[in-house]
Amino acid sequence: MSAGLTARGVVRGFGGIRAVDGVDLAVPPGRITALVGPNGVGKSTLFDCLAGATRPDAGRVLLAGRDITALPDHARARLGLARTFQQVAVFPGLTVEQNVRVGAEQRRGGTARALLGLPAPGRAAARAATDRALRLLDLDPVRDWPADRLPPGTLRLLELARALAAAPRVLLLDEPGAGLDLAQTARLAAVLRALTAEGMALLLVEHDVELVARLADTVYVMAAGRMVARGPAREVLADRRVAAAWGEP
Amino acid sequence: MPGTLDLSIDLALAGLAVGSAAALSGVGLVVTHRVTGVLNLAQGAQATATAYLLRELVVVRNWPLAPAAAFCLLVAAPALGVLLDLAVFRPLRRRDAGQAESMVAGIGVFVLLIGVIVLVWGTTPFGDAPALVPATVLARPGGHALRLDTLVQLAVVLGLAGGVGLVERYTAFGIRLRAVVDNRRLARLAGIDADRISAAGWAFGSFTAGLVGVLLAPLLLLDPYGLPLLVMATMAVAVAARLRSLPVAVATGLGLGIAQSELTRLRPGGQLLPLAQAVQTNLFVVALLVAALLPWGHGQDGPGLATSGGRPGRRGSSAARTACAVLLLLPLGFRPEDLRHALLVPALALVLLSVVVVTGYGGQVSLGQAGYAGLGALGTALLMSGKVPGVPALSAVPALLLAVAATVPLGLLTGWPAVRRRGLALALVTFAVGTALSRLVFDQPYATTGLTVSRLGLPADDQGFYLVELVLLGAGLLLVRSLHRGPPGRALTAMRDHQAGASAAGVDVPRLKLLVFMAGAGLAALGGALTALAQQGFDATAFDPVQGLLWFATVVVAGADSAAGAVLAAALLTGLDAGTLPGVSAVVVGALATAIGRLPGGLAGLARRLADRPAPGLTPLGHRLRRRIAERSR
């Protein structure tokens, strides 16, 4: 069984239309895998099937060899599968630090203890993971800010920090580069490289060709619910048919 | 059997009276919702206000019926609708306010109107509401009495529904209206005055609401709680029509009216009889519950009701806490008759805290907390009276604890539906659950007679009992605090602010929702049980769903996520009720709730913003000094 995340024959339809039609995908550890394609070809649906926001009609999703197809999203997150959203998902009612902390402390068995006023198990570890994620994405200076006062690019980094605080084995990123300035994009690229170097498996859904070319080891190209090409980034991106399918000039 | 058939036809004809009113209510709600995008939650109160006005003009001021009815239905009711649009809903629309705010504003209008009614006409029921059309028997085809009022009502319903359909399809106004229904912003860009169309929608909705009230009032007693609740229950018709289809609304309304009438024939023996009768008289409540539970829109995501913005203001909240402590300790020095009123404060505070936990912290709209409070009170009363099979009559403390413990799992009644619903859909389910509890459980013979509640096992004097209440309130506050801090607090806020994001971060959202509703049920039950012990009796009207709406609006006005705000609000509400005329508290809360759009985070949010304002700038002397220093350095 392969480590990382694997999808086998995933099918998901909406009212007669198969948005995802029998897709195979492998997100191996220590590498950056990119999923590209024009709008409306089922990338987001496939992404949701992998993350657990929707269940596939057919096919299986495996995390480190374990079948997680039937598990809801929070259970997948607790098994080490983290994701970010295309529309940034942060909690405006919490501070930056608390946002990240939410990602770090979702282990079983804490609720009853917390209701009794006892410290939650693994509190020190959660705090350490929070601090590490905040430092990694350069959010330390704003850690006590309310999250709703951050600019959009920083919000995206905050969401990534929350995902990282859970120490995931697999990280699914939905357009992580959108809304970032040049310095933030550079930081993002460096962080993603460092994470893969540590053995994390990364899947990137991204529109920014340059970012994909710069980062990805393997590229999958989707069109009309199916995979139309896959391979090393340089080869796939150089392919004319891929460029045509992608809708790039 | 011809006799049975004859009876069926007679009952069906009788059922058309209520059925056509319900259908009319559905038509009004559907049209208003399509045109304005708002489900008019205040319809019950608008209907009741119009009915009261008509009675006032005809019975008290001796106007002839025709001009009075024309004035009420064609002038007063539409004017009220336009006023509501201008003053309440248009500002919300302009700001693109979320569904939650529109809902609170609607509930605010409801509470405000009920408060005004109580203030002007009191709570004594009137049995002499004038009937619009005389019940003359026109003909007797096959021996069945065909009455004029039935025919007129049917004709009005079908005529209105058909007329709306024709206007939509064949007139220029209808085309503009459909454009607004499809896409308000686009219609506005195309030069359509969407505001005027919305105002027309509100006027029409208010007119139908008034008509519903005027039609229903003669069929039952006119009082500030029963009629609005019945009209609210007829929301079942609009919900069954999924807020879109007029034919479905008309058919459902008429069908439910006939079914209700036919059900009177169902007379099961023994203990089932009261329940069957309760279902029959409250068929619309049951229908609302069913219609809201059937899958339909899951409700929109939208900004919640609580303030965002991270850290609460330190100065603001400590001031609120001090005020709470002072207000709660003050009654210990009261004269006995004033202390008696104050006994209700900690009890009400616990009920309001349950709304804080469910709605403020968890972001789940719950309009049914009064039902849980009632369950706690009823449970205590039953246990103390030895009416629970297999359990001897208990003294106050074990009865109270057992009642609360039994109510906690019942929080799943609204918790389960909440797992898959949000916003309006959830609000309707929780309201229906609260109403069903009130009508099918509390308003039953076993609950209204033969129950004794005493303070056996507790200090008998009011002062001692008040201290016990304070201790229990303190325990409740500790629970609330532990739900607001640390990992559970963060997980709850995450769920409230972004449900999908919370799930993705590993928060078990369904489990957390169930937990929140169970905690809310427990807190409300404790508050209800203390209410019963304070009054030394079980009073079903204290837990009326209309009361529940007032409490919900109160918490939102005070600041949905502020525990201290809830305690202060309980003291102020009780004080207003005891110290002023009945209805004043509802008017105050309702007026503030209609303005919630301009008051984000409620009064607690306002206090926080004031407290968090940067320290005031330099004094005049400071400015002069600064100028001098600047000049010198040049």
Side-chain angles (χ1 to χ4, degrees), chain B residues 444-468:
Chain B
Q444 296 299 315
Y446 75 91
T448 44
T449 51
L451 291 187
T452 48
V453 182
S454 68
R455 296 189 197 146
L456 187 69
L458 284 174
D461 64 309
D462 282 347
Q463 207 163 39
F465 178 71
Y466 186 74
L467 279 173
V468 172

Side-chain angles (χ1 to χ4, degrees), chain B residues 99 103 289 292-293 296-300 358-359 362-368 413-433 499 513 517:
Chain B
Q99 211 183 28
M103 213 156 67
L289 189 57
L293 278 174
W296 58 310
H298 292 289
Q300 304 161 351
V358 178
T359 303
Q364 311 298 307
V365 176
S366 175
L367 304 179
L413 285 178
T414 46
W416 268 121
V419 169
R420 302 196 139 268
R421 278 173 198 78
R422 13 192 357 175
L424 191 58
L426 180 58
L428 288 176
V429 170
T430 52
F431 176 76
V433 167
Q499 196 170 305
K513 281 187 182 172
F517 273 95

Side-chain angles (χ1 to χ4, degrees), chain B residues 220-562:
Chain B
L220 62 162
L221 289 177
L222 190 57
D223 76 282
Y225 301 110
L227 183 58
L229 202 64
L230 175 60
V231 178
M232 277 199 87
T234 60
M235 280 198 302
V237 173
V239 176
R242 295 302 177 245
L243 302 177
R244 297 204 67 84
S245 163
L246 288 179
V248 175
V250 172
T252 313
L254 294 178
L256 280 172
I258 292 172
Q260 185 177 38
S261 185
E262 299 285 349
L263 275 179
T264 49
R265 284 163 56 184
L266 197 68
R267 300 190 70 83
Q271 292 191 318
L272 281 177
L273 183 62
L275 187 67
Q277 282 174 338
V279 169
Q280 185 261 324
T281 38
N282 298 290
L283 188 66
F284 282 93
V285 174
V286 178
L288 179 62
L289 189 57
V290 172
L293 278 174
L294 289 174
W296 58 310
H298 292 289
Q300 304 161 351
D301 267 323
L305 298 166
T307 35
S308 53
R311 275 180 313 178
R314 296 259 152 76
R315 276 180 293 168
S317 59
S318 71
R321 252 176 258 148
T322 315
C324 279
V326 170
L327 269 179
L328 286 174
L329 292 175
L330 214 54
L332 290 173
F334 279 3
R335 286 170 306 165
E337 60 268 29
D338 292 336
L339 181 58
R340 178 134 300 170
H341 289 300
L343 292 183
L344 291 175
V345 173
L348 180 59
L350 280 162
V351 180
L352 297 188
L353 279 175
S354 81
V355 183
V356 168
V357 166
V358 178
T359 303
Y361 295 170
Q364 311 298 307
V365 176
S366 175
L367 304 179
Q369 295 304 109
Y372 293 119
L375 281 177
L378 179 61
T380 308
L382 288 173
L383 285 164
M384 291 196 80
S385 315
K387 289 282 185 71
V388 180
V391 183
L394 298 173
S395 63
V397 175
L400 172 137
L401 294 178
L402 206 55
V404 171
T407 310
V408 167
L410 292 176
L412 297 177
L413 285 178
T414 46
W416 268 121
V419 169
R420 302 196 139 268
R421 278 173 198 78
R422 13 192 357 175
L424 191 58
L426 180 58
L428 288 176
V429 170
T430 52
F431 176 76
V433 167
T435 312
L437 283 175
S438 160
R439 291 303 184 258
L440 304 182
V441 179
F442 307 156
D443 265 356
Q444 296 299 315
Y446 75 91
T448 44
T449 51
L451 291 187
T452 48
V453 182
S454 68
R455 296 189 197 146
L456 187 69
L458 284 174
D461 64 309
D462 282 347
Q463 207 163 39
F465 178 71
Y466 186 74
L467 279 173
V468 172
E469 280 191 295
L470 286 188
V471 170
L472 288 172
L473 174 61
L477 280 167
L478 281 180
L479 172 74
V480 171
R481 193 171 112 123
S482 71
L483 280 171
H484 198 42
R485 299 189 159 200
R490 286 189 284 269
L492 273 177
T493 311
M495 175 174 90
R496 180 193 77 193
D497 288 354
H498 198 301
Q499 196 170 305
S503 268
V507 175
D508 189 344
V509 168
R511 181 163 158 266
L512 204 55
K513 281 187 182 172
L514 297 181
L515 180 79
V516 150
F517 273 95
M518 295 205 310
L523 283 168
L526 182 58
L530 287 179
T531 309
L533 287 171
Q535 297 175 329
Q536 309 207 23
F538 174 72
D539 175 14
T541 57
F543 309 104
D544 195 274
V546 173
Q547 197 72 24
L549 291 181
L550 170 67
W551 291 341
F552 177 82
T554 305
V555 171
V556 175
V557 162
D561 61 348
S562 164

